[in-house]
Amino acid sequence: MAVRLVIVANRVPNPRERAATAGGLAVALRDAVARRDAMWFGWSGATAAATAAEPRVAQHGRLTLATLDLGEQDYRHYYRGFSNATLWPTLHYRLGLAQFSREDYAGYREVNRAFAAALAPLLRPDDLVWAHDFHLFPLGAELRARGCGQRLGFFLHVPFPPYDLFCGLPRAQELVADLAAYDVIGVQTEQDAANLRGALAAIGQAGAAARVGAFPIGIDADGFTRLAERAERAPETERLRQSLIGRGLVIGVDRLDYTKGLPHRFRGYAQLLARFPQHRGQVSYLQVAPVSRGDVAQYRSLRRELDEWVGRINGQHAEPDWTPLRYITRAVSRPTLAGFMRLARIGLVTPLRDGMNLVAKEYIAAQDPEDPGALVLSRFAGAAPELAGALLVNPLDPDEIAERLDEGLSMPREERAARWRPMAEAVRQGTAKAWCRAFLRALEGTASVAEAAAA
Ligand code: ADQ
């Protein structure tokens, strides 16, 4: 029988969430968790006066959920502070946006200590432990300090920048050194892997550098295709189709985050309307961007900036019977999004930096093979090396966005299909399941990190 898998992540999924509507990590790890005994450990999502010393444990079939409430102070320093306002911008190459405070950093280390202290007694000797993302750089080292000898893996979902840039962050070396406690250190792309190896080598951890591998994450491609096919005739999709009265649809789907390049994207669309008048009145751009991290100042100012852009673009270009830019900041269900993506002639995905970007892969999976749309994609998304048929852009250049949009909107069906087919194949091959299995082969030690990553 397979040994137990212990997943540690900032958030633990809600077991009541239906498979068809769940997103993110829960979907990516579904296969790994379904095939063996597993435990998922992390923050409950609730806050209390102080961080709990002991987790709440609940059993759901073969899956154990162990969750901790975070103290108010810890939530502020660890989550809102160091994770979201310091590490997030730094890892996305935006050092200028990073706010550093020693209190936040201490809170971050404290919560990693508290996680390790609560988790260590629950571990069995042969468990495989897999920690996820930038919230948990020090977790492995904290577990080792408590005598845990289990195989420990870490996967970073976001980019890792060149060491010189990362070093702009106070205490950067300590954070890199923490990673050396893990047996397998996974990142999304070869570029991230090269950057992280450089960082580890620079602090004298050449051994750990050899345990870094690129494991590009994927989606449940067939599942998403089925969702999109079913949604094609759903009332929501039908209403959107009718409202377009034959106009081409451009779709963007992102969390409202400054890494996603939304202001530049809006400028790019404005440039399309200004420079390519043949598309005026012929195209509608729908941007779905639910508010996230609304308690961090930069996210509030981004929201105001986008509100202004929407007003400016529609004010300048709209006709009584045509709204060029439709903008929704509420969450939209996955089935509905899948139907919208299938309807769209262009998927517009222009993050300034992104670990992978699953929306780009979902857009490809959602297309009708007989009449697929075109993908306009940032060259700085981790998905770009895998999606060679996309129209690549530098997301900082609104003119280039406009030019690629024009190209996509004018592209004949045969060329769209020829570009789409190899991308669909790549998305079907590189699924979430394949990603999980590759990482676990390395974590189990049945393959070296280099062999498992290359497979
Ligand atoms: P995210 O930054 O959240 O993830 P992304 O990979 O694009 O970015 O999206 C995650 C999921 O959220 C997708 O399945 C998407 O459909 C869904 N989603 C996005 N906007 C939505 C909306 N408006 N309504 C409903 N659902 C929406 C982080 C990293 C990425 C990395 C992933 C996985 O930042 O680079 O690809 O983890 O490793």
Side-chain angles (χ1 to χ4, degrees), residues 160 163 173 176-177 179-180 185 193-212:
F160 192 88
Y163 183 56
Q173 287 89 345
V176 175
L179 291 180
I185 309 163
N195 290 341
L196 185 49
R197 285 187 199 113
L200 284 160
I203 61 160
Q205 291 282 357
R211 301 197 299 275
V212 174

Side-chain angles (χ1 to χ4, degrees), residues 15-207:
R16 278 176 285 280
E17 200 165 5
R18 282 176 42 236
T21 54
L25 199 54
V27 172
L29 293 169
R30 193 191 296 151
D31 174 62
V33 166
R35 281 157 15 104
R36 53 170 94 215
D37 287 343
M39 178 160 77
W40 195 310
F41 180 99
W43 176 32
S44 63
T47 53
T51 296
E54 298 221 341
R56 206 176 296 127
V57 178
Q59 197 63 36
H60 298 267
R62 297 176 76 184
L63 176 65
T64 310
L65 297 181
T67 54
L68 285 181
D69 293 349
L70 279 184
E72 296 284 352
Q73 289 265 28
D74 284 340
Y75 168 81
R76 266 206 308 283
H77 296 306
Y78 149 80
Y79 181 69
R80 202 173 67 190
F82 198 72
S83 294
N84 284 345
T86 312
L87 275 177
W88 177 265
T90 305
L91 292 165
H92 286 90
Y93 295 59
R94 303 289 294 279
L95 198 50
L97 293 180
Q99 303 163 7
F100 179 83
S101 87
R102 291 190 178 184
E103 291 74 25
D104 286 348
Y105 184 61
Y108 176 80
R109 298 208 76 90
E110 185 46 46
V111 168
N112 273 271
R113 261 195 298 279
F115 271 28
L119 176 59
L122 303 179
L123 292 180
R124 301 172 188 160
D126 61 351
D127 278 347
L128 295 173
V129 180
W130 187 2
H132 287 264
D133 230 357
F134 56 97
H135 313 88
L136 300 176
F137 274 59
L139 184 83
E142 291 293 345
L143 286 171
R144 293 281 186 243
R146 283 165 182 74
C148 297
Q150 288 85 352
R151 297 275 295 172
L152 302 181
F154 176 80
F155 185 79
L156 184 64
H157 289 259
V158 300
F160 192 88
Y163 183 56
D164 268 355
L165 192 159
F166 192 64
C167 266
L169 178 67
R171 308 302 182 91
Q173 287 89 345
E174 263 171 35
L175 291 163
V176 175
D178 282 331
L179 291 180
Y182 291 104
D183 297 297
V184 181
I185 309 163
V187 289
Q188 300 272 23
T189 67
E190 287 300 339
Q191 188 185 355
D192 299 321
N195 290 341
L196 185 49
R197 285 187 199 113
L200 284 160
I203 61 160
Q205 291 282 357

Side-chain angles (χ1 to χ4, degrees), residues 21-25 27-28 88 92 133-134 155-159 188 217-219 224 252-257 259-260 287-291 293 328-334 337 341 349 353-360 362 381-383 435:
T21 54
L25 199 54
V27 172
W88 177 265
H92 286 90
D133 230 357
F134 56 97
F155 185 79
L156 184 64
H157 289 259
V158 300
Q188 300 272 23
I217 197 169
I219 60 168
F224 203 82
V253 176
D254 309 77
R255 279 185 307 100
L256 207 157
D257 192 294
T259 62
K260 302 293 182 183
Q287 176 64 51
V288 184
V291 174
R293 303 177 192 171
I328 302 178
T329 53
R330 294 186 308 276
V332 174
S333 78
R334 283 178 75 70
L337 276 182
M341 285 183 186
V349 184
R353 284 281 159 188
D354 218 327
M356 177 52 60
N357 195 293
L358 296 180
V359 173
E362 289 165 353
W435 166 76

